[in-house]
């Protein structure tokens, strides 16, 4: 049985910008599909943490976590849950998702922590009630009632937590089935490329009892400059990988079901035209972008455009194209390094060019004519060389290199502009008339990017708005925006002095506490260095052991006559070092007017001399020094120079101590004079594509998620003719959808008489291997699992009592799939002497599967047999089809056309003269099904 529960981003009661997270239960396994997080600023403003509460409750009970994409909406909450909420189950993702996801989470966490104080949020995010030191009033009550309290975000992990979480992920590769371990050993996991992001994955989970579930979010059907689409180089006959066809359950997002995407070349041309025209008018372009998933696509596009402009200007003798192309991100260089090591996961021009970098250059010929010429520029990393891209860690570094007045293109993170470089650069660049804010995604609801997108969309014509298939125009709306800016500034003046005084007092208290601890430790120690030296100097040759003794030690010390300066060792420590006496005038007549009190159980450690077997003293330091000298003498000059460089590099890598700082929040008013332009570069499917993909994949059951109510209803009406109402679902948040039923399954062993004859009989069907068996089940004495032997093998008799005990294990449950013929097995009642179970008379062969005429047409065309639809449920094929298409009045040879007719009862009829064409068509029909032979 398979159940799905959307924890967020459902199909009927949520927004498409919500984080992605679904609970999939297959048999007894609890699998969490993705673990996204909302934008930090938007989530803090909303104050709703119900989604995070559900994830925290589920985290300790999960069996598996699958991460499909690298944007924060898919992966952002995983590091925090791993560090604070008891998430210890296995986590799987592709290698690019692992590396690029690490970059994304580090960039988001470091950017937010550099502006907003999150210390208290960490304590609240852990959900544990903590008791303050020294508070004993609640004592045992708090220990007993310790539990979880309501969460309060945002949930920002530390750098160490991010690294630890992503080190825990186990990488998987495309198209390689992975048998899971532990209590998931019955499941088979296979990943397929999705085309949306580098390493983006469609996960296929197969259970032997519940069927196959395909998790398909973030699909892109078209190839891009650095990625292949879902119908890429691994596609089968219909363009899709064979493992994606005909799953029992398909989980797919429907939020773009009514969207019409413009052509890719039109979108790229619109971006390049706006950038070129803006730079030529001496203005700048700001492009908010994500740290990794879609940044590579933009960089490949822009870097190739810069190469083209430089070479074409040089050919035409025009002014040199020297406008800076800048990326502002702390992790951009790490992202680029990881990307260059993952080229085998890429596609498009990145894979095609390999070690070359090509560009279109206009060549002026005689007579004033022009033509395009492909020019190879050659580079080590091909299209990922990025010769024209400059990387900056902070906006301050960018401004120091290129002032605001110089025209440039800046790609800054994050895409939502909720914090970080993109938000700061917007406040300083948006108030300049002529600058352009180029948006490549709509942003999350409640973010600054979404607000600006909605402002742009209001200025567009109805046909040019997002999702209408056309690209709009830049819009300029003179308005004022109030933006909250968070920053971390160094302390100065009186604040710095107060901080230094408080820090000095804290250090003094720590030093006093440490001194007290050291004093207590010294009082607990048995001997000091003087005792050690005296032990070595006063050793006896008899046993090599001497008792430490001070020269002034009184022999009657243990009788009460002890020196006040002497320190003794005791196995039980009593507070205080000196002996204590009663006040003068006591009853006893001891000296001083009172009886002396002594601490109990004195103990003196016997120290041994540090000598070897021959009585020679050991000097360990001498051997260490000698070894170091020998090692240095054997080193070459290159090794010494490398060590010196390493020391220098380590010193440079050491971050300077951070000056005392404070977190400041201020409101900034921005006069929005810059133009806003939006071009969809998310790299996702549109409505027509998702409808075609679902129809081609042919799932038996369909679950729609991550969609609005209107879009969901539109898709439900579209698929009403393809699916029955009980086979398509659109759950709301926290609604559980159940697919299938609990079935009883039993195990049996195949006897030698069966396995020896099956080698040539297996037939493949949708990833399974099927064979027809004619045999009898025997329950051997002392066996817990029945054995299936061939019908002609004589079975040994067993008592009836043993039959009754094992009767339940001998029953066979048959799960019937749609459009499949099954051989029915009927048990024969047991006799008093022996028992056996035989099958009914089986046919000569069975054809398992459901013939799809569209798929058959593709197979026929691939085999060189022309085929056309001749009405509903009929295909005509053969050479005569091509001849009739060329000339309707031409005479068609007999036997050159064969008709394939699919009847409503699931029967397939071939009509035509028996001949070469007939047998060729029949072969392709048989190839579309699994033929299971009985003998």
């Amino acid at each position: 049985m398979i159940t799905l529960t959307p924890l967020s981003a459902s199909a009927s009661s949520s927004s498409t910008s919500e984080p992605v997270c679904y609970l999939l239960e297959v048999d007894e396994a609890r699998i969490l599909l993705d673990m996204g997080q909302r934008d930090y600023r938007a989530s803090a403003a909303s104050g709703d943490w119900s989604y995070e509460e559900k994830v925290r409750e589920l985290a300790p009970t999960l069996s598996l976590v699958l991460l499909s994409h690298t944007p924060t909406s898919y992966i952002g909450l995983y590091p925090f849950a791993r560090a604070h909420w008891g998430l210890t189950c296995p986590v799987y993702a592709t290698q690019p998702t692992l590396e690029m996801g690490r970059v994304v989470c580090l960039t988001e966490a470091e950017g937010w922590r550099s502006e907003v104080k999150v210390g208290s949020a960490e304590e609240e995010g852990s959900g544990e009630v903590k008791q303050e030191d020294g508070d004993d009033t609640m004592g045992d009550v708090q220990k007993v009632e310790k539990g979880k309290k309501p969460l309060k975000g945002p949930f920002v992990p530390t750098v160490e937590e991010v690294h630890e979480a992503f080190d825990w992920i186990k990488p998987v590769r495309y198209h390689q089935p992975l048998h899971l371990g532990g209590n998931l050993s019955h499941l088979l996991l296979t990943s397929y490329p999705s085309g949306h992001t580098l390493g983006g994955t469609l996960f296929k989970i197969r259970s032997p009892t519940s069927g196959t579930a395909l998790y398909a979010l973030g699909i892109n059907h078209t190839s891009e400059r650095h990625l292949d689409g879902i119908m890429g180089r691994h596609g089968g006959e219909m363009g899709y990988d064979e493992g994606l066809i005909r799953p029992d359950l398909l989980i797919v997002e429907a939020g773009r079901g009514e969207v019409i995407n413009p052509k890719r070349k039109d979108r790229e041309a619109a971006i390049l035209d706006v950038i070129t025209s803006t730079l030529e008018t001496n203005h700048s372009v700001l492009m908010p972008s994500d740290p990794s998933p879609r940044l590579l696509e933009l960089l490949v596009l822009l870097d190739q455009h810069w190469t083209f402009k430089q070479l074409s200007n040089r050919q035409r003798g025009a002014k040199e194209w020297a406008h800076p192309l800048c990326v502002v991100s702390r992790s951009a260089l790490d992202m680029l390094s990881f990307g260059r090591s993952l080229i085998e996961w890429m596609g498009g021009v990145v894979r095609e060019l390999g070690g070359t970098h090509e560009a279109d250059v206009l060549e002026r010929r005689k007579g004033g004519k022009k033509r395009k010429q492909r020019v190879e520029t050659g580079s080590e990393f091909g299209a990922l060389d990025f010769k024209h891209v400059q990387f900056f860690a902070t906006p301050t570094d960018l401004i120091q290199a290129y002032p605001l007045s110089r025209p440039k293109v800046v790609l800054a993170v994050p895409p939502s502009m909720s914090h970080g470089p993109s938000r700061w650069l917007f406040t300083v660049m948006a108030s300049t008339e002529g600058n352009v804010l180029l948006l490549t995604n709509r942003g999350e609801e409640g973010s600054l990017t979404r607000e600006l997108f909605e402002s742009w969309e209001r200025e567009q014509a109805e046909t040019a708005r997002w999702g209408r298939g056309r690209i709009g125009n830049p819009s300029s709306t003179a308005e004022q925006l109030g933006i909250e800016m968070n920053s971390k500034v160094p302390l100065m003046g009186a604040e710095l002095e107060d901080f230094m005084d408080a820090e000095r007092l804290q250090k003094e208290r720590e030093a006093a506490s440490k001194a007290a601890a050291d004093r207590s430790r010294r009082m607990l120690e048995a001997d000091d260095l003087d005792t050690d030296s005296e032990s070595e100097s006063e050793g006896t040759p008899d046993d090599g052991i001497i008792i430490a003794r001070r020269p002034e030690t009184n022999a009657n010390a243990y009788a009460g006559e002890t020196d006040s300066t002497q320190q003794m060792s005791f196995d039980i420590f009593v507070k205080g070092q000196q002996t204590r006496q009663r006040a003068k005038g006591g009853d006893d007549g001891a000296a001083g007017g009172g009886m002396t009190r002594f601490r109990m159980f004195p103990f003196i450690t016997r120290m041994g001399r540090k000598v070897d077997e021959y009585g020679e003293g050991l000097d360990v330091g001498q051997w260490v020094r000698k070894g170091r000298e020998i090692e240095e003498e054997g080193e070459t000059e290159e090794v010494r120079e490398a060590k010196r460089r390493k020391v220098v590099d380590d010193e440079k890598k050491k971050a300077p101590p951070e000056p005392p700082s404070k977190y400041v929040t201020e409101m900034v008013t921005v006069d929005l004079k810059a133009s806003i332009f939006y071009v969809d570069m998310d790299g996702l499917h549109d409505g027509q594509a998702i409808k075609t993909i679902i129809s081609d994949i042919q799932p038996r059951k369909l679950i729609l998620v991550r969609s609005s109510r209107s879009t969901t209803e539109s898709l439900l009406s579209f698929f009403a003719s393809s699916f029955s109402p009980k086979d398509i679902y659109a759950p709301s948040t926290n609604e559980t959808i159940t697919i299938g039923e609990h079935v009883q399954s039993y195990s049996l062993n195949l006897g030698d008489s069966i396995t020896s004859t099956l080698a040539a009989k297996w037939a493949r069907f949708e990833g399974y291997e099927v064979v027809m068996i004619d045999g009898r089940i025997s329950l051997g004495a002392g066996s817990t699992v029945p054995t299936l032997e061939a019908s002609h093998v004589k079975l040994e008799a067993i008592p009836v009592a043993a039959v009754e005990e094992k009767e339940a294990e001998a029953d066979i449950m048959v799960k019937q799939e749609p459009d499949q013929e099954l051989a029915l097995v009927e048990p024969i009642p047991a006799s008093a002497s022996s028992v056996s179970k035989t099958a009914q008379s089986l046919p000569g062969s069975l054809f398992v599967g459901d013939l799809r005429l569209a798929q058959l047409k593709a197979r026929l065309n691939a085999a060189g047999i022309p085929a056309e639809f001749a009405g509903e449920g009929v295909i005509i094929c053969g050479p005569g089809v091509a001849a009739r298409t060329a000339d309707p009045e031409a005479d068609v040879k007999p036997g050159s056309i064969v008709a394939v007719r699919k009847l409503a009862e699931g029967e397939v009829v071939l009509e035509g003269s028996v001949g070469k064409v007939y047998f060729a068509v029949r072969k392709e029909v048989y190839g579309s099904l699994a033929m299971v032979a009985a003998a």
Side-chain angles (χ1 to χ4, degrees):
M1 184 174 67
I2 301 176
T3 62
L4 180 76
T5 306
L7 304 183
S8 180
S10 64
S12 58
S13 60
S14 62
S15 170
T16 55
S17 65
E18 288 188 3
V20 178
C21 189
Y22 308 99
L23 177 63
L24 179 68
E25 298 179 72
V26 181
D27 301 332
E28 302 299 328
R30 296 166 65 86
I31 305 172
L32 198 65
L33 304 174
D34 288 319
M35 197 181 299
Q37 187 173 21
R38 296 172 292 177
D39 176 74
Y40 291 145
R41 189 175 296 275
S43 60
S46 65
D48 182 14
W49 317 109
S50 57
Y51 158 66
E52 288 80 3
E53 285 276 8
K54 291 178 288 187
V55 174
R56 182 182 66 169
E57 294 174 1
L58 288 172
T61 66
L62 295 175
S63 307
L64 181 68
V65 174
L66 300 178
L67 304 176
S68 61
H69 296 279
T70 51
T72 54
S73 57
Y74 291 87
I75 204 173
L77 192 59
Y78 163 65
F80 194 91
R82 167 76 184 162
H84 297 276
W85 294 343
L87 180 66
T88 58
C89 65
V91 184
Y92 287 94
T94 59
Q95 189 68 36
T97 302
L98 190 159
E99 301 296 350
M100 297 299 185
R102 188 198 305 266
V103 170
V104 170
C105 292
L106 283 175
T107 304
E108 291 288 331
E110 290 179 342
W112 185 259
R113 284 178 175 274
S114 64
E115 298 181 2
V116 182
K117 187 177 181 180
V118 294
S120 59
E122 291 176 356
E123 297 177 359
E124 296 179 357
S126 63
E128 297 181 356
V129 179
K130 298 184 178 180
Q131 180 179 349
E132 297 294 336
D133 295 338
D135 184 9
D136 297 331
T137 56
M138 296 298 293
D140 298 334
V141 178
Q142 282 194 351
K143 294 180 181 178
V144 175
E145 298 180 355
K146 179 179 179 180
K148 295 183 177 179
K149 60 182 179 180
L151 297 179
K152 181 180 180 182
F155 307 96
V156 187
T158 63
V159 174
E160 293 77 13
E161 291 171 353
V162 172
H163 283 295
E164 181 183 358
F166 281 92
D167 289 341
W168 182 261
I169 296 178
K170 300 178 181 180
V172 297
R173 296 192 66 86
Y174 290 151
H175 311 287
Q176 293 187 0
L178 176 64
H179 291 274
L180 304 178
N183 58 350
L184 305 176
S185 57
H186 64 291
L187 298 181
L188 184 66
L189 177 67
T190 311
S191 59
Y192 300 93
S194 68
H196 172 46
T197 58
L198 180 61
T201 311
L202 310 180
F203 284 110
K204 178 181 178 182
I205 305 170
R206 167 165 290 173
S207 168
T209 57
S210 301
T212 302
L214 179 61
Y215 177 65
L217 264 68
I219 296 177
N220 188 11
H221 60 292
T222 60
S223 297
E224 296 184 297
R225 291 182 176 267
H226 80 298
L227 287 178
D228 290 328
I230 187 177
M231 302 172 64
R233 61 184 183 277
H234 296 286
E237 297 177 358
M238 300 181 63
Y240 307 95
D241 193 284
E242 294 182 359
L244 299 178
I245 304 299
R246 198 64 173 161
D248 294 310
L249 172 64
L250 175 63
I251 306 168
V252 67
E253 62 177 316
R256 299 173 68 94
E258 295 181 339
V259 173
I260 302 175
N261 283 342
K263 294 181 179 180
R264 196 193 81 179
K265 64 177 183 180
D266 295 338
R267 289 181 275 128
E268 293 179 351
I271 291 177
L272 298 180
D273 289 345
V274 168
I275 290 177
T276 303
S277 60
T278 304
L279 293 177
E280 289 178 349
T281 58
N282 293 326
H283 291 94
S284 299
V285 179
L286 174 61
M287 300 177 63
S289 178
D290 54 54
S292 170
R294 301 297 303 171
L295 179 59
L296 275 176
E297 179 70 16
L298 295 175
L299 290 181
V300 172
L301 171 65
L302 296 178
D303 187 73
Q304 290 185 345
H305 179 66
W306 253 245
T307 300
F308 163 71
K309 292 295 293 183
Q310 287 188 353
L311 295 178
S312 61
N313 287 3
R314 192 176 301 124
Q315 290 282 343
R316 294 184 288 112
K319 183 179 178 181
E320 184 179 358
W321 184 267
H323 300 294
L325 175 58
C326 309
V327 176
V328 184
S329 173
R330 301 187 184 193
S331 58
L333 291 176
D334 294 335
M335 179 275 300
L336 182 58
S337 176
F338 289 136
R340 287 171 175 173
S341 65
L342 300 170
I343 293 181
E344 70 272 12
W345 294 81
M346 300 185 188
V349 297
V350 174
R351 178 179 290 274
E352 293 172 3
L353 297 182
T356 64
H357 192 174
E358 300 184 0
D360 291 328
V361 180
L362 291 175
E363 181 185 14
R364 187 179 299 274
R365 304 181 65 188
K366 293 182 179 180
K369 296 183 180 180
K370 300 178 181 179
R371 72 173 183 181
K372 283 187 176 181
Q373 180 185 8
R374 299 294 291 178
V375 177
E376 292 188 4
T377 60
S379 62
E380 180 182 358
F381 302 104
L384 298 183
D385 187 58
F386 299 148
K387 293 182 178 180
H388 311 288
V389 182
Q390 303 180 48
F391 298 92
F392 300 92
T394 62
T396 305
D397 298 338
L398 172 67
I399 300 303
Q400 290 177 354
Y402 301 107
L404 292 174
S405 59
R406 179 169 179 178
K408 54 186 170 295
V409 175
V410 183
L411 290 86
V413 299
S416 62
M417 293 194 292
S418 62
H419 61 278
S422 60
R423 190 177 184 89
W424 187 88
L425 288 170
F426 171 78
T427 60
V428 298
M429 296 178 65
S431 57
T432 302
E433 187 174 358
N435 288 350
V436 175
L437 177 65
L438 181 55
L439 304 177
T440 56
N441 67 89
R442 297 189 302 158
E444 185 177 328
E445 289 188 359
S447 63
L448 178 59
T449 300
R450 176 58 71 91
E451 182 180 353
L452 296 173
F453 165 77
E454 293 174 351
S455 175
W456 169 85
E457 193 173 31
R458 286 193 295 267
E459 301 297 326
Q460 305 300 312
E462 184 67 26
T463 57
R465 294 186 176 181
W466 175 74
R468 300 294 188 267
R470 291 180 54 188
I471 298 175
N473 300 310
S475 65
S476 179
T477 57
E479 57 178 332
Q480 290 186 344
L481 297 177
I483 299 179
E484 183 183 83
M485 296 295 297
N486 301 94
S487 60
K488 187 177 181 180
V489 298
L491 297 178
M492 300 178 66
E495 292 181 338
L496 179 59
E497 294 179 359
D498 294 342
F499 177 83
M500 298 301 292
D501 292 340
E503 189 177 40
R504 184 177 60 256
L505 292 175
Q506 179 66 21
K507 289 182 178 180
E508 291 176 356
R509 285 194 294 267
E510 292 177 357
S513 176
K514 183 178 180 180
D518 292 342
R519 186 167 54 253
S520 299
R521 179 179 56 81
R522 287 195 303 269
M523 295 173 66
L524 286 171
E525 291 178 350
D527 299 285
D528 54 8
L529 296 177
D530 295 338
T531 304
D532 294 340
S533 60
E534 292 173 4
S535 300
E536 295 179 0
S537 61
E538 297 180 7
T540 61
D542 296 336
D543 54 2
I545 300 175
I546 189 68
I547 299 176
R549 182 174 300 169
R550 300 180 185 277
E552 66 275 8
T553 302
N554 191 343
N556 297 324
Y558 292 98
E561 301 176 5
T562 178
D563 188 358
S564 61
T565 61
Q566 179 181 354
Q567 294 185 359
M568 301 294 292
S569 298
F570 301 89
D571 56 355
I572 298 180
F573 174 72
V574 181
K575 187 176 182 181
Q577 184 175 356
Q578 305 298 330
T579 59
R580 294 182 296 178
Q581 298 179 350
R582 293 186 180 181
K584 293 181 179 182
D587 296 336
D588 47 17
M595 184 180 67
T596 305
R597 286 188 176 183
F598 300 96
R599 294 171 292 177
M600 300 179 65
F601 310 118
F603 178 78
I604 300 177
T605 305
R606 295 177 178 266
M607 304 296 295
R609 297 178 61 187
K610 299 179 180 179
V611 296
D612 59 7
E613 303 82 49
Y614 302 98
E616 182 178 357
L618 299 178
D619 187 359
V620 180
Q622 179 182 357
W623 291 102
V624 173
R625 290 190 298 271
K626 187 63 176 177
R628 188 181 301 114
E629 293 174 0
I630 296 175
E631 183 180 354
E632 292 177 354
E633 291 176 358
E635 291 180 350
T636 61
E637 187 62 30
E638 292 79 4
V639 176
R640 296 191 186 97
E641 182 63 25
K643 286 186 175 181
R644 284 194 291 268
R645 287 198 303 268
K646 186 177 184 301
V647 172
V648 174
D649 294 340
D650 292 342
E651 291 295 332
K652 291 181 179 179
K653 290 181 180 179
K654 288 182 179 179
E658 186 177 358
S661 305
K662 64 177 180 179
Y663 295 93
V664 178
T665 301
E666 59 179 345
M667 293 299 299
V668 177
T669 301
V670 178
D671 293 328
L672 185 56
K673 297 180 181 179
S675 300
I676 304 174
F677 187 44
Y678 170 76
V679 179
D680 187 0
M681 292 295 289
D682 278 337
L684 290 170
H685 62 270
D686 59 3
Q688 183 59 41
I690 195 62
K691 294 174 184 177
T692 304
I693 290 172
I694 294 175
S695 301
D696 292 343
I697 291 180
Q698 309 164 16
R700 292 187 173 91
K701 296 183 184 296
L702 179 66
I703 295 182
L704 303 177
V705 296
R706 206 182 186 195
S707 176
S708 60
R709 184 179 297 276
S710 59
T711 305
T712 301
E713 293 176 353
S714 175
L715 285 180
L716 289 176
S717 61
F718 176 82
F719 289 115
S721 59
S722 304
F723 295 88
S724 63
K726 64 179 182 179
D727 292 338
I728 184 169
Y729 307 90
S732 58
T733 304
N734 297 327
E735 179 184 355
T736 300
I737 299 298
T738 303
I739 306 296
E741 299 177 354
H742 281 293
V743 296
Q744 298 295 333
S745 61
Y746 301 94
S747 300
L748 55 86
N749 294 326
L750 296 181
D752 295 337
S753 60
I754 293 290
T755 56
S756 61
T757 59
L758 294 183
K761 294 184 178 181
W762 293 102
R764 293 190 60 83
F765 172 66
E766 296 184 1
Y768 295 97
E769 290 186 351
V770 186
V771 70
M772 185 182 298
I773 297 176
D774 181 8
R776 294 182 294 176
I777 297 178
S778 66
L779 300 175
S783 175
T784 59
V785 179
T787 302
L788 181 65
E789 295 285 358
S791 301
H792 62 274
V793 177
K794 184 178 180 181
L795 303 179
E796 297 181 359
I798 60 175
V800 178
V803 174
E804 295 176 353
E805 293 177 0
K806 305 299 181 181
E807 186 68 25
E809 297 184 7
D811 294 339
I812 298 178
M813 295 294 296
V814 179
K815 179 182 178 183
Q816 184 173 358
E817 299 291 349
D819 304 324
Q820 296 183 18
E821 300 182 26
L822 298 174
L824 302 180
V825 179
E826 180 179 352
I828 297 177
S831 63
S833 59
S834 64
V835 59
S836 65
K837 296 194 175 183
T838 59
Q840 291 182 344
S841 177
L842 299 177
S845 61
L846 289 177
F847 291 92
V848 181
D850 183 18
L851 180 65
R852 297 280 178 169
L853 296 183
Q855 185 177 3
L856 176 61
K857 180 176 179 293
R859 291 180 61 94
L860 292 171
N861 292 332
I865 304 175
E868 298 291 343
F869 285 101
E872 185 175 357
V874 179
I875 287 182
I876 57 174
C877 42
V881 175
R884 179 174 295 179
T885 302
D887 185 4
E889 298 181 358
D891 295 334
V892 180
K893 295 181 180 180
S896 62
I897 295 181
V898 176
V900 181
R901 189 185 308 274
K902 185 177 179 182
L903 304 181
E905 293 79 7
E907 299 179 357
V908 179
V909 178
L910 271 69
E911 300 176 350
S913 301
V914 176
K916 182 178 180 181
V917 177
Y918 177 85
F919 288 109
V921 174
R922 190 184 70 168
K923 179 181 178 181
E924 296 301 326
V925 173
Y926 285 178
S928 302
L929 304 170
M931 189 175 77
V932 184

